[in-house]
Amino acid sequence: MSARAERIYTAAVVIIGNEVLSGRVRDANLPFLARELKALGIRLREARVIADRREAIVEALRALCPRHDYVFTTGGIGPTHDDVTAEAVAAAFGVELVRNPEAVAILERHYGDEINPARLRMANTPAGAELLDNPVSRAPGFRVENCYVLPGVPRILQAIFDGFKHRLAGGAVLASRTVTAELAESLVAEGLAAVQERHPEAEIGSYPHLRRGRFATAVVVRAADPGLLEAASAEVVELLRGLGAEPEVSEGEERTPEGGGES
Amino acid sequence: MSARAERIYTAAVVIIGNEVLSGRVRDANLPFLARELKALGIRLREARVIADRREAIVEALRALCPRHDYVFTTGGIGPTHDDVTAEAVAAAFGVELVRNPEAVAILERHYGDEINPARLRMANTPAGAELLDNPVSRAPGFRVENCYVLPGVPRILQAIFDGFKHRLAGGAVLASRTVTAELAESLVAEGLAAVQERHPEAEIGSYPHLRRGRFATAVVVRAADPGLLEAASAEVVELLRGLGAEPEVSEGEERTPEGGGES
């Protein structure tokens, strides 16, 4: 199977945000990045939510950057005292934090006479950083080696990401198919394990939920190889039919409402 | 200040879920646990979203359990082949995975004649685990040392958590107050840094957003000591008034809509 030999690209996301850890804000950036990376053929392997503290950021980047093709950070690059991401990224990569002349020019052009020391603070980047264009509010994101440093406000993060995503190298897009049936997960489990064993290269996930007040299970099959996706999902359909259900099949990962299942 | 001498209790959350990393599901358990832990006087320091893989779970638990008073895992304790959390927790703590007789009794009582091998799989726990009652769908969560193992379905996780949370020891609840003004964050930054410097024991966060189409900043002051909260937030109000704004003050962490700020 040719798909096996292909290079797999992986990524991690670091969400820098006391406001997420305190429950004040429900993060919206991880769902966005997860979907975008999937479409680019990049596997998101891990995400961390950490505090706005320099040591916490340094530790996360030192753990994740050597391990993945790409690391994306969100948050902490604004003008206030609690924005410590730029200096932490510099520390993690062992370079100086410098005032980036290109960023200064962008901010001066944008703010004109209203430029001030706090706004200029957003021009501080690790030495050698490449700026990432911010078409919304101008203060740029930046990249150091494989680490992409993005703001926390979703609308701005998305605009910046859209501007550079075509430059990210990815592998085969993991295709997926969802097979849903009104059956309790525990009735499907044994047969599903057998399908997974026959197709170790496919990733078969089982997601219980409630549907029209009844137990239902969504089985998501993910595979880089189209033939494998076809074979494994056909076996799942057969399995569910054999258990008396009328499974529904849809392309991609169908979202199910949050609801109570067996676990 | 007596609050300084108090013991601080910390926690981490580990979200076990390929479906969150693929973007299929937007996690709802972290916001719930964040708010609950805050109310209990337990500081949530970090969260990780990891894949349904034994090695990933073992690694996260070995990193986080020695470091925090409590670790909560969500997901991966159902009846299917992709539910590997129980065996991973056993491996992380270096104990055997055993069939828990108390859990078997609960499941047999619940399922009656419809008990099957997949359902009994939900009675497997690390040796020495304490069961956590599940009033919704019966298959229990469990605790090993300081690690609380919970299911991924939000309604069930919440019901189990409600059942044991009174037993969690916490410290002083971090009180908070939100001061909001229609001012760009970068105009507030300099003065805010000075307030933070005068009150290093308070945690002052600045959150830009759009409000009625204009730049606004929510400043959240968090402190364990009520006098400190009062003093620091009064200074923030003065600062914003001095900048010509009419700040609004509310208790707690007021949520702001997702919107575009300066970063």
Side-chain angles (χ1 to χ4, degrees):
Chain A
M1 200 179 307
S2 66
R4 277 195 216 179
E6 266 187 41
R7 164 128 157 59
I8 289 177
Y9 291 82
T10 70
V13 168
V14 179
I15 295 158
I16 298 160
N18 286 342
E19 72 277 22
V20 177
L21 292 173
S22 76
R24 178 174 175 269
V25 162
R26 186 170 173 183
D27 166 71
N29 292 322
L30 182 60
F32 169 80
L33 290 170
R35 288 189 302 268
E36 291 285 327
L37 293 170
K38 190 177 185 224
L40 291 166
I42 298 166
R43 315 277 173 91
L44 176 57
R45 291 278 201 233
E46 183 177 356
R48 295 190 187 183
V49 186
I50 60 173
D52 304 1
R53 286 190 311 109
R54 181 183 153 125
E55 319 84 78
I57 301 168
V58 169
E59 183 193 317
L61 295 181
R62 288 202 174 143
L64 297 172
C65 291
R67 215 190 243 202
H68 297 287
D69 294 294
Y70 305 107
V71 172
F72 303 90
T73 76
T74 78
I77 60 169
T80 53
H81 65 278
D82 56 336
D83 291 306
V84 299
T85 300
E87 61 184 83
V89 175
F93 283 95
V95 299
E96 293 288 301
L97 186 72
V98 299
R99 181 137 298 181
N100 185 300
E102 198 189 338
V104 170
I106 290 168
L107 293 170
E108 284 182 340
R109 211 154 47 229
H110 178 60
Y111 286 114
D113 288 349
E114 295 184 346
I115 194 80
N116 67 22
R119 285 169 172 160
L120 279 171
R121 199 166 170 265
M122 294 190 283
N124 292 348
T125 69
E130 175 202 7
L131 299 186
L132 302 172
D133 182 50
N134 170 354
V136 178
S137 56
R138 292 300 154 200
F142 57 84
R143 176 187 68 79
V144 179
E145 298 187 18
N146 64 339
C147 179
Y148 291 74
V149 179
L150 304 172
V153 175
R155 194 162 63 89
I156 307 179
L157 174 139
Q158 292 170 20
I160 296 178
F161 188 86
D162 283 343
F164 70 77
K165 70 180 181 186
H166 63 280
R167 293 192 280 136
L168 301 175
V173 175
L174 210 56
S176 52
R177 194 168 289 174
T178 305
V179 185
T180 305
E182 284 185 6
L183 278 174
E185 200 188 18
S186 49
L187 298 175
V188 179
E190 199 182 337
L192 213 54
V195 179
Q196 176 71 80
E197 255 180 51
R198 281 195 294 278
H199 302 287
E201 299 289 317
E203 183 190 308
I204 302 178
S206 170
Y207 306 110
H209 57 284
L210 284 176
R211 201 183 196 197
R212 298 187 281 263
R214 302 180 58 172
F215 283 127
T217 300
V219 178
V220 177
V221 182
R222 306 176 183 97
D225 180 80
L228 176 58
L229 182 72
E230 180 60 42
S233 51
E235 287 188 31
V236 172
V237 169
E238 275 315 294
L239 167 71
L240 298 177
R241 279 207 189 113
L243 292 165
E246 293 172 22
E248 290 165 27
V249 180
S250 60
E251 293 306 307
E253 303 200 17
E254 193 192 320
R255 294 190 207 177
T256 44
E258 282 164 16
E262 278 185 299
S263 73
Chain B
M1 199 180 307
S2 65
R4 277 194 215 180
E6 265 186 43
R7 164 128 158 59
I8 289 176
Y9 291 81
T10 70
V13 169
V14 179
I15 295 158
I16 298 160
N18 286 341
E19 72 279 21
V20 177
L21 292 173
S22 76
R24 178 174 176 268
V25 163
R26 186 171 174 183
D27 165 71
N29 292 323
L30 182 60
F32 170 81
L33 290 169
R35 288 189 301 270
E36 291 285 325
L37 292 170
K38 189 177 185 225
L40 291 165
I42 298 167
R43 315 276 173 91
L44 176 57
R45 292 278 201 234
E46 183 176 355
R48 296 190 186 182
V49 186
I50 60 174
D52 304 2
R53 286 189 310 110
R54 182 185 153 124
E55 319 86 76
I57 301 168
V58 169
E59 183 194 317
L61 295 182
R62 287 200 174 145
L64 297 171
C65 291
R67 214 190 243 201
H68 297 286
D69 294 295
Y70 305 107
V71 172
F72 303 90
T73 76
T74 77
I77 60 169
T80 53
H81 66 279
D82 56 337
D83 291 305
V84 299
T85 301
E87 62 184 81
V89 174
F93 284 94
V95 298
E96 294 287 301
L97 186 72
V98 298
R99 183 138 296 183
N100 185 301
E102 197 189 338
V104 170
I106 291 168
L107 293 170
E108 285 182 340
R109 215 158 39 234
H110 178 59
Y111 287 113
D113 289 349
E114 295 184 345
I115 193 79
N116 68 22
R119 286 171 171 159
L120 279 171
R121 199 165 171 266
M122 296 191 282
N124 292 348
T125 68
E130 176 202 5
L131 299 186
L132 303 172
D133 181 51
N134 170 355
V136 178
S137 55
R138 291 300 155 202
F142 56 84
R143 177 187 67 80
V144 179
E145 299 188 17
N146 64 339
C147 179
Y148 292 74
V149 179
L150 305 172
V153 175
R155 194 162 64 91
I156 306 178
L157 174 138
Q158 292 169 19
I160 296 179
F161 188 85
D162 283 344
F164 70 78
K165 70 179 181 186
H166 63 280
R167 291 191 281 134
L168 300 175
V173 174
L174 212 56
S176 52
R177 195 169 288 174
T178 305
V179 186
T180 306
E182 284 185 6
L183 277 173
E185 201 188 17
S186 50
L187 297 175
V188 179
E190 198 182 339
L192 212 54
V195 179
Q196 177 71 81
E197 256 181 49
R198 280 194 294 277
H199 302 287
E201 299 289 317
E203 182 189 308
I204 302 178
S206 170
Y207 305 111
H209 58 283
L210 284 176
R211 203 184 194 195
R212 298 187 281 264
R214 303 180 57 172
F215 283 127
T217 301
V219 178
V220 177
V221 182
R222 305 176 184 97
D225 179 80
L228 175 58
L229 181 71
E230 180 60 41
S233 50
E235 287 187 30
V236 172
V237 169
E238 274 316 293
L239 166 71
L240 298 177
R241 279 208 187 112
L243 292 166
E246 293 172 22
E248 290 166 27
V249 180
S250 60
E251 293 307 307
E253 303 199 15
E254 195 194 318
R255 294 190 208 178
T256 44
E258 282 166 17
E262 278 185 298
S263 73

